[in-house]
């Protein structure tokens, strides 16, 4: 199996008024195509920090990250944003939808940035929104959607460029039980059907257990 994501000896320090905060001390992780990995850990243990470093949204203080075998550590922003567009779908706990754009337009924006021809992108976006159960909501602005619906739009957006890797930071954290289950099923189904790799940060022990590998972030390291 091809390794989609690898982290070697990642550490991350934050300088605070109270001194140096060592959040990540020695994180090692390799994720293969089609593999689902859950990351649990206490609040403040560094899960979001880790995911942002894995996704190239933040720089580590030490260690190396590889995307599809290519080292991305210390590459510039232009390279990172281009590679991220191709390789990674990022799902945030708080959705991060553009409030002025409809559900469909939010999904299309990601395709536009990636340079996909609009006609192809529109067909794909509609198919994805249908898949996440939002065919009737494509013209809605985020403010007219429930939390679960917003997150499903965000997932469709994360998928539009068919990334081989999804990084999801507590994607069900703000959702009711029913919506959370729908989002979770969708993510796991992608791993099965499309060979997408998934790193899922979650507080939900049941969801974590449904991933192929279950890891815990504790004292700055990932343990099995
Ligand atoms: N930019 C920052 N500057 C200083 N401290 C930070 C910063 N970002 C996160 N932290 C601290 O790092 C720790 C881990 O945060 P975070 O990764 O958000 O944890 P989690 O997602 O596991 O709840 C927390 O103690 C948080 O306060
Ligand atoms: Mg967090």
């Amino acid at each position: 199996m091809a390794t989609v994501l690898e982290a070697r000896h990642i550490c991350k320090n934050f300088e605070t008024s109270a001194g140096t905060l060592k959040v990540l001390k020695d994180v090692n992780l390799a994720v293969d195509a089609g593999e689902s990995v859950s990351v649990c850990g206490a609040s403040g243990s560094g899960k979001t920090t880790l995911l942002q470093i894995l996704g190239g949204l933040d720089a580590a203080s030490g260690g190396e990250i590889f995307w599809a075998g290519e080292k991305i550590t210390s590459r510039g922003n232009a390279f990172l944003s281009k590679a991220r567009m191709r390789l990674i779908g990022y799902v945030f706990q708080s959705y991060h939808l553009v409030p002025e754009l409809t559900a469909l337009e939010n999904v299309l924006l990601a395709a536009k940035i990636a340079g996909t021809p609009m006609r192809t992108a529109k067909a794909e976006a509609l198919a994805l929104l249908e898949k996440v159960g939002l065919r009737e909501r494509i013209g809605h602005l985020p403010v007219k959607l429930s939390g679960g619906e917003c997150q499903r739009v965000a997932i469709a957006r994360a998928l539009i460029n068919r990334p081989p890797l999804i990084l999801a930071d507590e994607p069900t954290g703000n959702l009711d039980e029913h919506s959370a289950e729908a989002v979770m099923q969708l993510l796991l189904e992608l791993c099965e059907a499309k060979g997408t790799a998934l790193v899922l940060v979650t507080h939900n022990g049941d969801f974590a257990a449904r991933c192929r590998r279950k890891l815990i972030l504790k004292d700055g390291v990932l343990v099995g």
Side-chain angles (χ1 to χ4, degrees):
M1 268 296 179
T3 301
V4 177
L5 171 71
E6 191 177 353
R8 290 188 197 157
H9 305 299
I10 292 299
C11 55
K12 178 71 176 179
N13 305 327
F14 289 115
E15 300 305 331
T16 71
S17 53
T20 303
L21 184 65
K22 296 184 174 175
V23 176
L24 304 176
K25 293 175 183 162
D26 185 13
V27 170
N28 294 282
L29 175 68
V31 185
D32 288 343
E35 198 176 22
S36 53
V37 178
S38 62
V39 176
C40 294
S43 180
S45 59
K47 303 180 298 298
T48 293
T49 303
L50 173 61
L51 217 62
Q52 287 184 339
I53 290 171
L54 294 176
L57 297 173
D58 194 4
S61 307
E64 295 169 333
I65 302 284
F66 298 79
W67 290 347
E70 186 172 6
K71 185 165 145 183
I72 62 129
T73 311
S74 63
R75 300 297 299 260
N77 275 334
F79 169 88
L80 286 178
S81 48
K82 212 165 165 191
R84 192 184 305 113
M85 209 150 53
R86 202 161 36 85
L87 296 171
I88 298 176
Y90 206 105
V91 182
F92 302 87
Q93 179 173 358
S94 47
Y95 331 126
H96 287 210
L97 297 177
V98 180
E100 296 84 6
L101 299 182
T102 65
L104 178 61
E105 288 164 348
N106 264 283
V107 178
L108 281 176
L109 180 62
K112 201 176 209 168
I113 294 169
T116 312
M118 261 312 110
R119 188 144 17 117
T120 322
K122 194 163 176 193
E124 179 81 10
L126 288 171
L128 276 168
L129 285 164
E130 171 133 35
K131 181 142 184 52
V132 299
L134 293 178
R135 190 66 185 81
E136 259 78 78
R137 303 278 190 285
I138 60 169
H140 283 46
L141 294 173
V143 69
K144 302 275 177 170
L145 296 168
S146 71
E149 289 168 342
C150 284
Q151 192 58 297
R152 284 184 276 154
V153 173
I155 288 175
R157 177 185 58 188
L159 299 179
I160 183 89
N161 297 323
R162 304 191 184 192
L165 172 66
I166 293 178
L167 301 177
D169 191 358
E170 302 198 41
T172 61
N174 290 335
L175 306 184
D176 62 76
E177 210 176 314
H178 179 77
S179 307
E181 176 60 32
V183 162
M184 192 59 203
Q185 269 183 23
L186 180 69
L187 289 172
L188 289 177
E189 197 182 294
L190 277 164
C191 299
E192 291 286 320
K194 300 239 161 115
T196 309
L198 170 69
V199 178
L200 172 76
V201 167
T202 182
H203 276 299
N204 184 312
D206 173 43
F207 291 166
R210 282 157 66 183
C211 291
R212 200 184 298 173
R213 254 193 310 152
K214 188 171 182 286
L215 302 174
I216 293 167
L217 185 59
K218 192 163 186 274
D219 301 327
V221 299
L222 272 179
V223 291

